[in-house]
Amino acid sequence: GHKAVVQENWKAVQAANSGVWELYDLSRDRTECRNLAAEEAPRLKGMADAWEVWANWALVNPSSHAGKANAK
């Protein structure tokens, strides 16, 4: 599925199966037209990492528990 994380005025999104994160400054771009991923790479990395931590905790990250259902 799609992934998204919001921190303050920033929103990072990843379309399903794309593997590419996009980053938007919602205080200046409410319609999410200007992807700032290249200009704000460190911020985006931190947000993507935060999503991974949350997804692993919430057990919603397919890559974190792939194969575990068959490991019985």
Side-chain angles (χ1 to χ4, degrees), residues 8-59:
E8 298 176 4
N9 293 321
W10 295 91
K11 180 179 178 183
V13 294
Q14 184 183 86
N17 303 318
S18 77
V20 178
W21 283 95
E22 299 175 1
L23 181 67
Y24 301 96
D25 179 354
L26 299 178
S27 69
R28 297 175 187 225
D29 180 17
R30 292 179 56 193
T31 57
E32 300 175 19
C33 293
R34 186 164 181 248
N35 181 3
L36 300 173
E39 296 95 319
E40 295 283 344
R43 179 185 306 275
L44 178 56
K45 180 173 179 353
M47 293 177 73
D49 289 349
W51 186 91
E52 291 290 333
V53 169
W54 170 82
N56 289 332
W57 173 83
L59 301 175

